Amino acid sequence: GLGISVVSLEVAVTVKPCTSLAAPVPIPLKLTVCIPASSSIGGGSLIAASVVCVYPLLRMVAVSLRPGDRLVSTDLSLIPAGASGLSYLRVFKETDFFLWLWNSLVITGATSFIGVSLAATAGYAFSRFKFPGHKLGLTLLLGTQMIPAGMLLLPLFLMIMRLGLINTYLGMIVAYSVTSLPFSVWILKGYYDTIPRSLEEAALVDGATRFGA
């Protein structure tokens, strides 16, 4: 009634006498182990969840292997008929795929570095210090997240065009940074609020700087 499975194991243990003339005598032992049935149910649930998560990825790979005239096919087989890797060869040889990849790495890396650096310092200031405009600043940062992203396209384009940053890495980095920074400040401000001030005060007493604390 408790959902517990009982497993019995028989183990043979060999006992060697002290005298060298006597032969070793095996003694059978019986070991009973209780395994909760819920563990098997949990394992099955994990396997089912893994299949659900992995299947869409396998479907994407299967679609990428289809010939060009079968892209809209409703076939659900993971290895489609006429599968080939010509699409991958065309991407690598006939397009600037590696240039696009490099552009993405540069822009995302720089945006992440700038966003985390500015958001970490701004979030710390909003969390630890009370200054004029503290609440107003947080309200304005939150208000920017209520503006639809489509409404920011024209202002951002005009700003970047006047700065002469069209078709440059810096232009894309500025555009992504200004849209992600307010949300990042709020997230890190909430994280700093969970850290007790006493830890920083203890570090300052021990001789640490404000930045080190």
Side-chain angles (χ1 to χ4, degrees), residues 41 67 133 139 142 165:
I41 298 176
T139 303
L142 182 61
L165 300 178

Side-chain angles (χ1 to χ4, degrees), residues 47-106:
I47 294 175
S50 300
V51 171
V52 171
C53 294
V54 172
Y55 181 74
L57 301 178
L58 297 178
R59 290 294 305 151
M60 288 191 295
V61 175
V63 172
S64 68
L65 296 176
R66 291 179 181 175
D69 57 347
R70 298 181 183 177
L71 291 178
V72 295
S73 174
T74 58
D75 184 17
L76 297 179
S77 59
L78 296 179
I79 302 179
S84 66
L86 295 178
S87 299
Y88 291 97
L89 294 178
R90 291 183 58 187
V91 168
F92 293 136
K93 291 184 177 180
E94 301 178 12
T95 65
D96 296 326
F97 173 78
F98 292 103
L99 176 60
W100 302 337
L101 182 62
W102 171 252
N103 292 339
S104 299
L105 291 175
V106 171

Side-chain angles (χ1 to χ4, degrees), residues 148-165:
M151 296 182 62
L152 299 176
L153 293 178
L154 183 58
L156 283 175
F157 176 77
L158 294 176
M159 179 184 69
I160 293 174
M161 181 179 64
R162 291 176 180 177
L163 294 174
L165 300 178

Side-chain angles (χ1 to χ4, degrees), residues 3-5 34-47:
I4 299 177
S5 301
C34 297
I35 302 177
S38 58
S39 61
S40 59
I41 298 176
S45 301
L46 290 176
I47 294 175

Side-chain angles (χ1 to χ4, degrees), residues 2-3 23 45 53 63 79 85 103 106 108-109 114 120-121 128 133 153 158 167 169 171 176 179 184 190 193 197 207:
L2 298 178
S45 301
C53 294
V63 172
I79 302 179
N103 292 339
V106 171
T108 55
I114 294 174
T121 52
R128 289 294 187 260
L153 293 178
L158 294 176
N167 294 328
Y169 287 130
Y176 282 118
T179 55
S184 301
D193 288 342
R197 293 176 180 267

